[in-house]
Amino acid sequence: MKGRPFAVFFGFTHCPEVCPTTLWEMSQALATLGPDADRLKVLFVTVDPERDRPEMLQQYLQSFDRRITGLTGSPDEIAAVTKSYRVYWRKVPTSDGDYTMDHSAMVYLMDAEGRFTDTIAYGTPEPERLAALRRLISGT
């Protein structure tokens, strides 16, 4: 991932609110940033690799900005990457025999060297989100 700054969000495609809202907000931010957005990578990493296969991620992300890349992997790979970012997540059984996922609800901002710089919390107002992304892109 080194070479340009990136934003990482951990979630899952069956998420009822936090994930689609965050991805929509990131899509809006990319549109607002204009050409500067092309200097930023945005990643959506699943915490539900059992259901979120590459085809599912590709289909799900069609509803958002094309510059958002979906990533999945084996359960062990997902566990390793979430551990390195200190992401909270856990599988929660539902009463109908299915399950949902609890997970951290923030966007991690990483500089061009792959170092953590900041987060954008769920519900952060648009002006603050944009300011954080502009700082990330400019390296300040």
Side-chain angles (χ1 to χ4, degrees):
M1 295 306 309
K2 291 182 182 178
R4 66 178 161 161
F6 59 99
V8 184
F9 178 69
F10 293 86
F12 66 115
T13 63
H14 289 73
C15 182
E17 181 183 340
V18 171
C19 298
T21 299
T22 300
L23 293 169
W24 181 83
E25 288 174 346
M26 288 301 293
S27 295
Q28 294 302 306
L30 291 170
T32 301
L33 290 168
D36 284 342
D38 293 334
R39 297 172 38 209
L40 176 69
K41 293 179 187 178
V42 179
L43 306 174
F44 174 66
V45 181
T46 184
V47 294
D48 187 10
E50 292 176 37
R51 290 189 289 204
D52 291 345
R53 300 280 189 227
E55 323 71 63
M56 174 66 82
L57 283 173
Q58 182 180 20
Q59 180 181 0
Y60 180 73
L61 290 173
Q62 288 177 3
S63 298
F64 307 103
D65 190 283
R66 63 174 175 73
R67 293 169 286 196
I68 299 173
T69 301
L71 298 174
T72 189
S74 70
D76 288 342
E77 290 168 328
I78 296 300
V81 74
T82 55
K83 182 178 181 182
S84 71
Y85 279 86
R86 296 185 176 122
V87 173
Y88 162 80
W89 62 279
R90 71 180 178 102
K91 190 176 190 177
V92 180
T94 57
S95 60
D96 62 0
D98 200 6
Y99 69 92
T100 189
M101 303 295 289
D102 278 349
H103 62 91
S104 300
M106 66 187 75
V107 177
Y108 296 80
L109 304 180
M110 311 298 288
D111 70 13
E113 296 301 314
R115 294 179 298 237
F116 172 81
T117 63
D118 204 356
T119 60
I120 300 173
Y122 181 70
T124 296
E126 181 182 23
E128 292 174 38
R129 266 194 321 272
L130 288 170
L133 292 171
R134 284 187 178 109
R135 283 190 304 274
L136 180 64
I137 291 168
S138 70
T140 58

